Amino acid sequence: MLSVRDLWRRHRRKIYLTVGVLGGGYFLYKLYGAHRHGLQELERELAVQRESEELVKAQMQAHFENIQRISDVTLPHAMHDLSCRIAEELDLSHLLERLIQGKGQPNTLTQSEKLDLWSRLKILSFTRLTLSVWATTMLSLYTKVQVNILGRHLYIDTARSLGIYDSLESGDVVDREDQKKFLDSVDFLSQHGMTALISDMEAATKEVLKGKLLSTLFNNTTLHETIMQILNTFMSMRSPHSWVKYMIPEDAKSYSTTSGSDDLVPSDMTEFQQLMMETWAVLSSAEFGSIVEISLKAMVDALVELMGAKFGGGSATAGLPLARLLPQVAQMCPLLLEEPSKNQFIQIIKNIHEVELFFTLLYANMPRA
């Protein structure tokens, strides 16, 4: 017994130290085990979250691609109506017939009448060309705006089926009748906006061409500058974004003034009105204005290049008198208004990087739950 007590007295510090080290080690081991278990749980949660995010991304991508195809269905119908309306309202055949008649029968037209007919043909030819460029560009972009805005709303239904937006009420999904009414609004330009559009485009054309005689030489550079001047003059007429009224009813603007961007949608606003309000907001935005400018320039670049390749000769370099250029201008209008699947100009707009990015961002700007 004495030996045990003696041993304790002599080695108790070592025993305390050993027990402390062992106890501390055990505590650290348990702490490490708990920490490791927590990390494993966190990794599992993150893995589940990643899988969920990947599922959402895949669903969004598939939905986005399906939505883009809607414009491939609505655009051909709109382009057909547009082509028919432009051919009807800006028919050049009666002017050409009178000029041909006057050439075959010199005494039927006075010199003053001939000059008046040529002047009218000059204005209408360029009005028809620039209007075709503008309207084709705008219809192509407008149908994309429509389907992406509608797509954002329809995605909510898809998201609800995945349990992402369970809190949303059924009223948040756009009614099928409102969908159809909204997509049918693409015809507003040809049915209601055309008269004012022709008048304003003709006024811009007269302003730019007033100093250009039938003997004025036009080469590719001159032609490009003239078309762009007409378009820029037209786009800058009256108030900023006044051209939006050709594409969409002006009462859509009144919807947007009833509610600020950060306010809730008024309870008495229909789903169709909300869609039109959002469309007006997009079309009136500075970002969309930039996309329009980029697209119009790309269209004119391709148009002048095609005319140079199609007709060649002096128009590309030395130039042609304006009177000889007018038949070439008239021949390009049907190509601008061709059916979308054959229309190289619409394909050019689709492939512009800035256009693709704009509509990707527009679609991705999902409504908050």
Side-chain angles (χ1 to χ4, degrees):
M1 196 67 172
L2 286 175
S3 61
V4 173
R5 290 179 178 176
D6 185 56
L7 181 65
W8 169 256
R9 261 195 319 271
R10 282 185 296 169
H11 298 286
R12 61 183 178 182
R13 289 185 179 179
K14 295 180 180 179
I15 294 173
Y16 283 143
L17 180 61
T18 301
V19 171
V21 169
L22 292 175
Y26 179 75
F27 175 76
L28 290 174
Y29 172 76
K30 295 295 289 182
L31 184 63
Y32 170 74
H35 179 66
R36 184 177 179 183
H37 178 73
L39 287 177
Q40 290 174 342
E41 286 295 321
L42 180 60
E43 287 176 356
R44 277 194 291 270
E45 291 177 6
L46 290 175
V48 171
Q49 184 178 348
R50 281 194 296 269
E51 289 179 4
S52 178
E53 289 176 351
E54 289 300 321
L55 177 61
V56 171
K57 288 179 181 178
Q59 290 288 342
M60 283 190 68
Q61 182 63 31
H63 191 261
F64 175 74
E65 292 173 356
N66 289 334
I67 282 296
Q68 303 313 304
R69 296 189 189 102
I70 295 178
S71 65
D72 296 334
V73 176
T74 58
L75 186 57
H77 166 75
M79 285 296 297
H80 174 74
D81 288 352
L82 176 67
S83 178
C84 292
R85 189 67 193 278
I86 291 176
E88 176 185 343
E89 296 292 334
L90 293 170
D91 183 16
L92 305 177
S93 61
H94 63 289
L95 294 175
L96 293 172
E97 287 173 3
R98 290 197 63 191
L99 285 169
I100 292 172
Q101 183 183 12
K103 187 177 181 180
Q105 302 174 14
N107 297 327
T108 58
L109 291 175
T110 66
Q111 188 65 22
S112 176
E113 288 174 331
K114 288 181 181 179
L115 289 175
D116 183 66
L117 286 173
W118 273 107
S119 177
R120 187 67 183 146
L121 182 63
K122 174 184 71 173
I123 298 300
L124 285 185
S125 295
F126 273 89
T127 298
R128 185 175 177 180
L129 180 71
T130 51
L131 189 145
S132 298
V133 169
W134 189 88
T136 299
T137 301
M138 292 306 302
L139 271 186
S140 178
L141 295 175
Y142 182 75
T143 54
K144 287 288 189 180
V145 170
Q146 275 191 312
V147 298
N148 281 282
I149 288 176
L150 184 59
R152 289 192 293 134
H153 286 264
L154 295 179
Y155 177 75
I156 296 175
D157 197 25
T158 304
R160 186 187 294 107
S161 69
L162 295 173
I164 300 171
Y165 292 149
D166 290 327
S167 62
L168 291 176
E169 299 177 0
S170 59
D172 291 310
V173 180
V174 181
D175 179 76
R176 286 189 178 275
E177 286 300 317
D178 282 327
Q179 290 181 36
K180 183 179 184 303
K181 188 177 178 182
F182 178 58
L183 291 174
D184 287 345
S185 69
V186 71
D187 294 326
F188 182 85
L189 172 62
S190 59
Q191 293 179 359
H192 305 286
M194 187 58 67
T195 301
L197 172 59
I198 290 174
S199 177
D200 289 345
M201 189 66 77
E202 185 173 343
T205 303
K206 287 180 178 178
E207 176 66 24
V208 174
L209 294 183
K210 64 183 179 182
K212 300 185 185 300
L213 304 175
L214 292 173
S215 58
T216 301
L217 294 179
F218 271 71
N219 57 24
N220 282 2
T221 301
T222 310
L223 178 61
H224 188 285
E225 291 175 351
T226 300
I227 296 173
M228 289 304 303
Q229 284 174 6
I230 295 172
L231 291 170
N232 291 334
T233 300
F234 165 76
M235 293 290 282
S236 61
M237 292 173 66
R238 298 182 176 86
S239 60
H241 305 293
S242 62
W243 48 265
V244 177
K245 68 179 182 289
Y246 310 124
M247 304 299 304
I248 189 171
E250 286 203 80
D251 56 6
K253 184 179 181 181
S254 66
Y255 306 150
S256 65
T257 60
T258 62
S259 173
S261 59
D262 296 327
D263 298 333
L264 294 174
V265 175
S267 58
D268 60 344
M269 181 178 289
T270 67
E271 292 160 347
F272 169 72
Q273 289 174 335
Q274 183 180 349
L275 291 168
M276 295 301 288
M277 177 190 71
E278 292 182 25
T279 303
W280 181 280
V282 172
L283 265 60
S284 303
S285 68
E287 293 82 3
F288 185 75
S290 297
I291 292 301
V292 170
E293 290 180 8
I294 292 170
S295 300
L296 286 174
K297 186 178 184 305
M299 282 276 284
V300 176
D301 289 347
L303 173 66
V304 174
E305 183 179 350
L306 180 61
M307 288 184 68
K310 188 177 179 65
F311 302 109
S315 61
T317 53
L320 287 175
L322 179 55
R324 290 181 57 192
L325 181 67
L326 293 180
Q328 298 180 11
V329 169
Q331 290 181 51
M332 296 307 297
C333 294
L335 295 178
L336 287 162
L337 300 168
E338 269 191 322
E339 194 272 327
S341 65
K342 303 175 183 177
N343 195 316
Q344 60 179 301
F345 300 102
I346 290 178
Q347 298 303 317
I348 287 171
I349 294 174
K350 283 184 178 181
N351 294 330
I352 297 173
H353 172 71
E354 291 85 352
V355 172
E356 292 179 338
L357 180 60
F358 175 83
F359 287 114
T360 300
L361 294 175
L362 178 62
Y363 176 81
N365 183 27
M366 297 295 296
R368 296 182 181 275

